[in-house]
Amino acid sequence: MKTIPIWDVQQTPELNISAADYSLLTDLYQLTMAACYTGEGVEQRRASFELFVRRSPEGFGYLIAMGLAQALEYLEKLRFSPEQIAALQATGIFAHAGESFWSLLAEGRFSGDVWAVPEGTAVFANEPFLRVEAPLWQAQLVETYLLNTLNYQTLVATRAARLRDVAGEPARLLEFGTRRAFSPQASLWAARAALGGGLDATSNVLAALQLGEQPSGTMAHALVMALSAMEGSEEQAFSAFHRYFPGAPLLIDTYDTVAAAQHLSEQVNSGKMQLSGVRLDSGDLVTLSKQVRSLLPEVSIFASGDLDEWEIAKLKAAGAEIDGYGLGTRLVTGTPVNGVYKLVEIDDIPVMKKSSGKVTYPGRKQIFRSYAGGQVKADRLGLMTDTPLAQETPLLQLVVKEGQRLQPPETLSAIRQRTTASVASLPEQTRRLNNPIPVPVEISPTLQDLTEVTLQRLNQ
């Protein structure tokens, strides 16, 4: 049995990642396939892979594409260091790989093209929202990382867009999901995707500062309990917090929500306290919010506690007096977006998969979107060589050419605005939470013809 290379043990004991680790953050079979391609002398053949979902998660009428910025950063920084190559060699797995494979890794850089829909764009099943056109070994190798970032950020961005759509534009929506995200790295991506999907701020300090945003949050029950125990009362705990953060929102459901609101009302009405908001994290939010509103009519009421778009819709329908929401667990977890990354063309030869239930369309494709009265009418999935029809807009754009980005990264503000406009352009039946109906996606005659020809070739 092979021992773990000393490079792995000594330098990555905490399982953290950096840009220098991108090359090894992949599934083993990506590397074994690259070695096979190299041995067969086909590693430099031009290949096109498209990333898409076969079906949206249940109950989702659309998806919001997100994660492109991190995908492009990964491609830009993809390198194999001598230490990483030595670690791979020490596994013994690649004992039969030729020297040309190791030279390929040592000298390799991503040199291909990337087509993608802009982040914040609504997409539907079977529509490629990213395509990589590159030498075969490169296009194959990058699959794992691309799926990881695009699948997860697309899930969170879609949930965020739905939350914004249900809550309404005036509501303040905060991302509170760091402690429930699937890893520290995922918490950063979740915060970014949530902001790009329409939320106002995140409580994740690192994510906010790295993104040039202002972190936002309130307080925890622990502070109220600790200071109440040591200083004598909940009221003194609130006063202590306000000495350092004047006017900050206060969490008022630690003991008795209504009693806390009554005391704060007295303080506010007497001019002894300025208060921007209160947070409710438990109990009957409809009843409590109405009671708190009657006592603090000018104070924003914020709610949290395992909320999602369906819960917010119920609260609004019941007349809850809530001005904003904190979203955590159900925003950053949930049914995954099962995006796949499939070969569609190799050496100018269209290819497709015909497995039962997993059939793919061959050839390099484009999404053509048509509008009527400002709303999305239909999408047409066609070939890149198809000509847009009247009122159609091609969605996939060339973002990387021969390994070089063509535009600087977009701001979160621009992505958030695109998300808002994209969701607003969808029909009501596509946006609704219950039994949504996706926008119809038509298959162009040229793509249909190519599919039939490719099937005939496979069946020979």
Side-chain angles (χ1 to χ4, degrees), residues 73-361:
E73 177 195 15
Y74 159 74
L75 294 175
E76 196 171 45
K77 295 181 178 179
L78 184 62
R79 303 286 189 277
F80 282 88
S81 69
E83 295 80 8
Q84 290 169 331
I85 292 174
L88 288 174
Q89 291 172 329
T91 66
I93 295 171
F94 299 89
H96 298 289
E99 185 59 36
S100 57
F101 172 61
W102 304 113
S103 298
L104 187 75
L105 297 188
E107 300 166 6
R109 304 288 186 271
F110 182 75
S111 61
D113 300 346
V114 178
W115 292 76
V117 301
E119 291 187 282
T121 302
V123 292
F124 306 99
N126 293 309
E127 294 185 336
F129 47 100
L130 179 137
R131 181 171 59 256
V132 173
E133 303 174 2
L136 177 57
W137 79 274
Q138 296 177 19
Q140 183 76 72
L141 180 70
V142 300
E143 173 184 9
T144 300
Y145 196 97
L146 295 183
L147 284 172
N148 184 279
T149 181
L150 289 164
N151 279 342
Y152 185 58
Q153 289 202 50
T154 295
L155 169 65
V156 177
T158 305
R159 296 299 298 267
R162 287 157 57 92
L163 285 160
R164 171 58 69 194
D165 200 23
V166 170
E169 194 56 39
R172 181 163 174 78
L173 303 181
L174 304 184
E175 186 272 319
F176 281 179
T178 298
R179 65 189 66 186
R180 299 286 190 267
F182 296 128
S183 70
Q185 176 65 73
S187 75
L188 301 179
W189 285 357
R192 178 186 183 273
L195 296 175
L199 270 59
D200 295 292
T202 176
S203 66
N204 187 311
V205 177
L206 177 61
L209 297 182
Q210 286 189 344
L211 293 167
E213 301 277 329
Q214 186 81 352
S216 183
T218 55
M219 62 196 302
H221 294 107
L223 181 137
V224 177
M225 292 188 290
L227 295 186
S228 294
M230 293 184 290
E231 301 193 11
S233 70
E234 184 180 44
E235 292 78 10
Q236 288 172 305
F238 291 156
S239 296
F241 193 69
H242 268 189
R243 277 197 292 275
Y244 306 100
F245 304 99
L250 299 173
L251 180 61
I252 65 172
D253 72 332
T254 305
Y255 305 118
D256 186 322
T257 300
V258 176
Q262 287 173 333
H263 174 77
L264 291 173
S265 176
E266 294 169 3
Q267 295 288 92
V268 170
N269 291 336
S270 66
K272 295 180 181 179
M273 175 185 285
Q274 290 185 337
L275 182 62
S276 64
V278 295
R279 176 160 72 99
L280 310 177
D281 191 53
S282 60
D284 183 342
L285 294 178
V286 175
T287 300
L288 289 175
S289 67
K290 291 179 178 179
Q291 291 174 312
V292 172
R293 174 70 78 219
S294 68
L295 294 166
L296 297 166
E298 303 301 322
V299 173
S300 293
I301 300 174
F302 195 78
S304 58
D306 288 334
L307 300 177
D308 59 18
E309 54 266 49
W310 287 278
E311 291 298 321
I312 292 176
K314 291 177 184 177
L315 290 171
K316 291 186 67 176
E321 295 283 348
I322 298 174
D323 303 298
Y325 302 88
L327 296 316
T329 302
R330 298 186 186 181
L331 170 62
V332 303
T333 64
T335 304
V337 170
N338 282 319
V340 295
Y341 182 83
K342 297 301 177 184
L343 182 69
V344 297
E345 187 177 284
I346 179 71
D347 220 15
D348 295 324
I349 304 169
V351 297
M352 64 181 291
K353 190 174 180 180
K354 61 177 229 177
S355 307
S356 178
K358 294 187 175 182
V359 175
T360 60
Y361 290 106

Side-chain angles (χ1 to χ4, degrees), residues 16-48:
N16 294 325
I17 64 169
S18 67
D21 300 315
Y22 284 164
S23 57
L24 295 185
L25 189 58
T26 189
D27 290 303
L28 175 63
Y29 73 7
Q30 312 292 9
L31 288 163
T32 57
M33 286 189 286
C36 182
Y37 294 149
T38 306
E40 295 298 302
V42 299
E43 76 281 1
Q44 299 296 345
R45 299 292 180 92
R46 191 74 170 179
S48 296

